[in-house]
Structures are given as structure tokens and as C-alpha cells.
Amino acid sequence: MPAICAAASGRWQLAEARRTVLVTGGAGFIGSAVCRHLASSGRWCVVNVDALTYCGSLAALDEIAEEDAYSFHRADIRDEEAMLAIMRRERIDAVMHLAAETHVDRSIARSAPFVETNVLGTARLLDACLRYRDSLPVELQAPFRFHHVSTDEVFGDAGADGAAFSETTPYAPSSPYAASKAASDHLVRAWHRTYGLPVVLSNSTNSYGPWQYPEKLIPLMIGHAIEERPMPVYGDGGNVRDWLFVEDHARALERVLADGAVGETYIVGARSERSNVEVVERICDLIDARRPLGSGASRRSLIAFVEDRPGHDRRYSADPSKIERELGWRSEVGFEQGLARTVDWYLANEGWWRPLLQTQ
Ligand code: NAD
């Protein structure tokens, strides 16, 4: 039976048809897309919990901010008592956990925040969930769900010709970021096995789209191309990623949360592998077509190959057959279409990303 959905105004509204999900990290890039998708679906009430670190942005939630099906709490997942209090107050049915430190380069510069949030924070959040689940009436305990949102980077380097990652691929993380996410995946499975917490996990490929902080490859390159600054590409630019449009990702996460089998993991991928240099060249061409340089030159001349990132995985490749077969999800937005939409969004929203790009 669904719980009661709390309106943003503090009113309580009976929502027989909706379940209430606490989304951690809902002011981030993917989390905000998830909140927008779920709150406007008619199927969920969304309780967004985010600490608003440097990359959290409430502007990404403006379009749902006034909806009864949405509320926001500023809190830190490392604060177990605060998280438990929100769960009790909002009478949640499920948690979708996205809050994390996410930028590989930052993890290489300083690993501590990654261990503290991604590892210790996830453990504290799991404990809060356990206490909350155990305090529920018996009939609400079994339907409770904890969905852990993770990355395919936990599997390490697929190698130029290696097989695509599946749900049984052994873990071999390369960066401090990937290692901290791998640790959090293990914690989630341990809480399931030891305490019977009903969990589902997803490991997704690289996402892109509107509202991504301009430190990540695609928005960083779009920003530099628009500003006509050198576009730094690591190594020879041959590193390959499978690019997943963020709205497809949000739909996949709903499928996993709603219908994933307890204890199971689902790989989410777009079957859309591209090398970094291919992606960057395409960005140049899209922006040239929309905002030609006065000189008539191509922005490809701005591409500058720089010293490679230490431990840089050559290729990630993910096989989404299981989620396609068992949950009926597949990516719908092709890379060309998704990248064009992303470029158009950044061209139309310079007021959001330009001040952030200056700090890079
Ligand atoms: P993001 O960096 O854009 O957002 C992270 C959010 O978490 C921010 O809003 C931040 O304020 C919040 N946060 C950070 N520490 C917190 C804390 N201690 N307590 C509460 N909130 C905190 O990240 P993203 O790219 O949207 O990624 C979201 C999740 O998806 C992460 O767990 C990431 O590992 C995973 N993931 C990302 C990708 C990708 O390509 N971006 C791919 C696969 C998986």
C-alpha cells in the first residue's frame, strides 16, 4: 500500500496512486533529471535530499519546485539521524541513492571527500534505511526498496577489443572515484545479505545532457568551444565511452526502482560507443553550424591534446541486455540527437554554466 505523499507546502495529501521516493543527490545532474521525470509522471511523490555541494543546483528543479508531488530538504547523507528524521517525516516507500562525489579528476587530486561521501555516507544512509525499514508496520517492510545508483567505472578498463561489461563482470576499479563507488556497491549488497534490506542496483555508462556541471567532458568542451578557448583532450583522445542521454538514464532508473528484482543488478548502457575525440569533433561541428566563427575557421582547430590522466581507462563498454529483456527498457535518444539537444541547451542557458566554467 502506498504511503502518504507530503506536499512541498507541508500539507499532507493522500496519494493512493503514488509511492513516495527519497532521492539523494536530486540537485545534481542525473538526480535532477530523475526528480523532474518522477515528479511529473503521476506515479511518484519525490522527496529530494541534497547537501548542495559545489555541483548541486536547485535551478535544475525550478519547473517542479511548486508541485505537490515534490519537496526538498537540504541535508547530508553522512548525517544518519537527519536522514532518518526525513524518512519518518515524509513516510517514504523507497530510496534512490545518487548523492556522491563524482568527478574522477577531483578524486585523483584529493580522495578524502570521495571516501567520506561515497563510502562512509552510503554506509550511514544504509543504516538509516535499516532503522526506518524496521520501524515500519510489517506490511510496509517488504515493499520498501533501496536503489543504489552506480557506475560502470567499477569494472575498470574493458580494453580496446574486450567484451562489454555484464552484471557478472568482476570489479577492477582504476580511479579513487571508481574505487569509492565499488566500495559502496559492496556495502549495499552486504546490507541486503546480512540484514535483508531489499536493494536493487544499477551500473550505468557515461551520461550527458542538460544541467551537467561544466567540469565533465561534454559540457566542458561545449563551454570552451562557445568561448573559443582551447579544448583540452586527454592523451590521444582515443578513450572510448558509451554515451547515455540523461533522460534515457532517468527512465531506466525508474524501471529498476519500480520493477527490478530484489538483490539484482542492472547494467544501463546506450550501445553508443564513441571515442573522446569523435565526441569533441562533433561538438565543434554542431557549434560551428549554429554560431560560425567570423574567420570561417572550424572550431576543431581549438582541440589541444594534453598529458593523459593517470590510470585513465581506455574503454568502457556496457551490455544492457538484461534491463532490456527483463524490464523492457532501452535507450531512445540516439547520440547525434542527444548531443544536438545538449549543445542547444548550453547555447540557450549560458547564464547558468558560464560562471561555473570560470572556476575550472
Ligand atoms: P553530480 O556530481 O552532478 O551530483 C551529485 C549530487 O550529490 C550533487 O547535487 C551534490 O550536491 C550531492 N551530494 C554530494 N555529496 C552529498 C552528501 N554528502 N549529502 C547529500 N548530497 C550530496 O553527479 P551525477 O553525475 O548526477 O551522478 C549522480 C550519481 O550517478 C552518482 O552516484 C554517480 O556515481 C552516478 N553515475 C553517474 C554517471 C555520469 O555519467 N554522470 C554515470 C553512472 C553513474
Side-chain angles (χ1 to χ4, degrees), residues 7 9 21 23 59 62-63 65 83 130 132-133 137 143 151 158 169 176 187 189 191 212 241 293 307 319 331 351:
S9 61
V21 57
V23 176
D62 277 352
E63 67 188 67
M83 299 305 295
L130 207 53
Y132 175 73
R133 192 277 310 260
T151 167
T169 299
L187 292 173
R189 292 198 180 93
W191 262 244
Q212 188 168 28
R241 304 292 183 254
L293 294 174
E307 188 183 345
D319 178 1
S331 75

Side-chain angles (χ1 to χ4, degrees), residues 18 26 42 118 133 144 147 157 240 264 268 298 343 354:
R18 293 185 183 217
N118 301 358
R133 192 277 310 260
F144 182 79
H147 176 183
D157 199 334
V240 172
E264 292 291 314
V268 185
S298 163
V343 163
R354 270 189 195 272

